[in-house]
């Protein structure tokens, strides 16, 4: 199956080439495919904060390369470049508050910096670490796809309908995708008849990105308003809701794109299984529960404007871009380290102690 998954890798949203980080600008998809060239840490932070790059795994990868760019600039400035680099770590960390992968990647880069040997070439070492983070995410995607497909086969092996939310494909990761990677793999194995994609207000990642990815690969996809999800579960034979995660707390509560929580409630009511797919770097064991997950709120203009035109209502707008799904609504969490069914604190702790898939 792995060879079939590798052959299906057709979309790439991040490229490190000749010391420059290139990011596919996801704000303008599907209308145009435009790449942003990042030569400074500030460029990377801006791309993350402005949603040019989005999706927890690819945010972390981008930040790792951002550290390389920052180190190169600080070394040119001279002086105590490692001390000066802390300002760049802070800049990158503050770009988005919810994505656990961002902080995980920055911690890993800081740790590698702290282990530099006396005669090592700092830039070469940091670049190798960022590339390793990128490649490990790609490998994790493939492993998660295989595990998720096996779960779908185990519970319902025949062709079925799957519902997903936001974008969790190649555009959001360093490779095959997380939740959408599982869906793509299940389709390759003949187990998916149709995918229902929530439009995902207000940035329309489902409309602009997920539908674009699936249509590009010839996977049958139907786009729907977020508010139609419960009706679809009731009438369209959906057997799984498959979503990603931006942060998973130690007890298994999941922070993900706004609207995920209500999907989980509806799935439980309709007897639809609920799967979360995310690399272990998304799990933050320092957060005891979902109450500790920081939920980013963005400006109200994202709700009060359409196509740059003001809707005319003189009202306040509440625009949280994430919500928290309690662990007791989740059937299974799939990571590259393994699968957790009915997640809880003990199971998460056991999983995170593993160095590799058992």
């Amino acid at each position: 199956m792995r060879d079939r998954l590798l052959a299906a890798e057709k979309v790439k949203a991040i490229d490190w080439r000749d010391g420059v980080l290139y990011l596919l600008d996801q704000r303008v998809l599907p209308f145009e495919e435009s790449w942003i060239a990042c030569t400074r840490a500030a460029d990377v932070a801006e791309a993350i904060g402005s949603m040019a790059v989005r999706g927890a795994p690819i945010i972390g990868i981008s930040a790792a390369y951002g550290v390389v760019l920052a180190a190169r600039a600080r070394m040119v400035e001279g002086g105590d470049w490692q001390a000066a680099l802390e300002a760049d770590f802070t800049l990158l960390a503050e770009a988005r508050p919810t994505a656990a992968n961002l902080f995980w990647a920055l911690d890993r880069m800081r740790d590698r910096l702290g282990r530099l040997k006396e005669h090592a070439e700092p830039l070469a070492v940091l670049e190798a670490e960022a590339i390793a983070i990128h490649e490990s995410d790609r490998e994790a995607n493939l492993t998660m796809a295989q595990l998720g497909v096996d779960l779908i086969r185990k519970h319902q092996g025949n062709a079925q309908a799957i519902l997903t939310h936001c974008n969790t494909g190649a555009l959001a990761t360093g490779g095959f995708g997380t939740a959408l990677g599982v869906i793509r793999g299940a389709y390759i194995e003949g187990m998916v008849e149709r995918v229902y994609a929530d439009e995902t207000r207000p940035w329309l990642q489902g409309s602009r990105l997920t539908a674009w990815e699936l249509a590009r690969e010839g996977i049958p996809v139907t786009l729907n308003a977020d508010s139609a999800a419960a009706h679809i579960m009731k009438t369209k034979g959906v057997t799984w809701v498959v979503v990603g995660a931006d942060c998973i707390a130690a007890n298994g509560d999941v922070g993900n794109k706004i609207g995920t929580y209500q999907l989980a409630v509806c799935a439980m009511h309709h007897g639809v299984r609920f799967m979360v797919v995310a690399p272990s770097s998304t799990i933050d064991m320092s957060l005891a529960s979902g109450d500790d997950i920081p939920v980013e709120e963005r400006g109200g203009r994202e709700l009060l404007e359409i196509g740059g035109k003001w809707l005319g209502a003189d009202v306040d707008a509440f625009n949280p871009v994430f919500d928290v799904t309690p662990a007791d609504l989740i059937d299974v969490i799939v990571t590259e380290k393994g699968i957790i069914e009915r997640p809880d604190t003990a199971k998460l702790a056991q999983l995170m102690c593993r160095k590799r898939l058992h």
Side-chain angles (χ1 to χ4, degrees):
M1 179 181 175
R2 181 184 172 82
D3 289 341
R4 291 194 294 276
L5 295 179
L6 284 169
E9 284 189 326
K10 298 175 182 176
V11 175
K12 182 167 70 171
I14 183 170
D15 190 21
W16 174 257
R17 189 169 69 252
D18 299 326
V20 178
L21 177 63
Y22 295 92
L23 297 171
L24 184 61
D25 190 344
Q26 298 186 35
R27 297 168 300 184
V28 298
L29 284 172
F31 308 108
E32 60 179 284
E33 294 183 32
S34 176
W35 289 80
I36 300 169
C38 300
T39 58
R40 306 172 303 146
D43 297 335
V44 179
E46 168 62 21
I48 293 171
S50 68
M51 302 276 283
V53 59
R54 28 70 49 213
I58 200 171
I59 285 174
I61 298 165
S62 299
Y65 286 123
V67 172
V68 180
L69 297 172
R72 184 172 65 198
R74 295 298 184 182
M75 292 177 73
V76 170
E77 292 173 0
D80 190 348
W81 66 271
Q82 290 197 39
L85 194 61
E86 283 303 313
D88 301 297
F89 274 107
T90 299
L91 177 69
L92 290 163
E94 291 178 347
R96 295 291 301 274
T98 302
N101 310 65
L102 170 62
F103 307 104
W104 171 85
L106 291 174
D107 286 345
R108 182 164 158 176
M109 294 298 287
R110 183 182 280 107
D111 176 71
R112 190 65 190 90
L113 187 65
R115 293 185 288 107
L116 281 175
K117 295 183 179 179
E118 185 177 352
H119 300 294
E121 290 288 340
L123 279 181
V125 170
L126 290 173
E127 181 180 22
E129 189 71 8
I131 291 171
I133 289 172
H134 190 169
E135 287 300 315
S136 67
D137 183 71
R138 183 169 178 260
E139 288 298 316
N141 287 185
L142 295 171
T143 299
M144 290 185 290
Q146 291 175 317
L147 292 173
V149 169
D150 289 343
L151 266 175
I152 291 173
R153 181 183 291 111
K154 174 183 174 183
H155 289 281
Q156 290 101 8
N158 56 323
Q160 57 205 279
I162 291 178
L163 189 145
T164 192
H165 188 65
C166 198
N167 176 262
T168 54
L171 293 172
T173 70
F176 195 69
T178 55
L180 204 59
V182 169
I183 293 170
R184 293 167 71 192
Y187 177 76
I188 291 170
E189 294 293 293
M191 291 185 290
V192 174
E193 185 174 81
R194 179 157 298 274
V195 180
Y196 289 92
D198 284 353
E199 63 176 349
T200 323
R201 285 280 296 150
W203 275 78
L204 300 175
Q205 294 99 322
S207 302
R208 297 186 301 104
L209 306 178
T210 298
W212 178 78
E213 281 199 52
L214 292 174
R216 187 166 170 147
E217 297 185 30
I219 298 174
V221 56
T222 296
L223 186 69
N224 58 270
D226 296 354
S227 53
H231 178 68
I232 288 170
M233 290 184 207
K234 180 180 179 181
T235 62
K236 300 297 184 181
V238 170
T239 54
W240 284 92
V241 173
V242 185
V243 299
D246 285 82
C247 185
I248 301 176
N251 71 337
D253 291 349
V254 168
N256 194 48
K257 181 57 59 181
I258 189 73
T260 304
Y261 178 23
Q262 63 196 29
L263 283 181
V265 172
C266 291
M268 176 164 283
H269 176 79
H270 291 96
V272 174
R273 292 179 63 83
F274 194 90
M275 180 192 301
V276 174
V277 187
S280 59
S281 55
T282 306
I283 300 170
D284 188 341
M285 296 301 288
S286 72
L287 304 177
S289 74
D291 292 338
D292 301 317
I293 295 175
V295 174
E296 178 185 359
E297 292 183 26
R298 295 178 67 87
R301 294 184 71 90
E302 294 179 358
L303 298 179
L304 295 171
E305 286 185 356
I306 293 180
K309 293 185 178 180
W310 193 255
L311 296 179
D314 184 18
V315 297
D316 293 331
F318 178 48
N319 187 25
V321 292
F322 300 97
D323 58 26
V324 176
T325 300
D328 60 8
L329 294 177
I330 298 167
D331 289 289
V332 61
I333 295 175
V334 176
T335 79
E336 85 285 2
K337 289 188 174 186
I339 292 169
I340 305 173
E341 299 206 47
R342 309 307 307 175
D344 59 26
T345 302
K347 291 176 182 177
L348 264 292
Q350 184 180 31
L351 177 89
M352 294 304 285
C353 286
R354 300 177 186 172
K355 294 191 179 298
R356 58 184 180 275
L357 179 64
H358 287 184

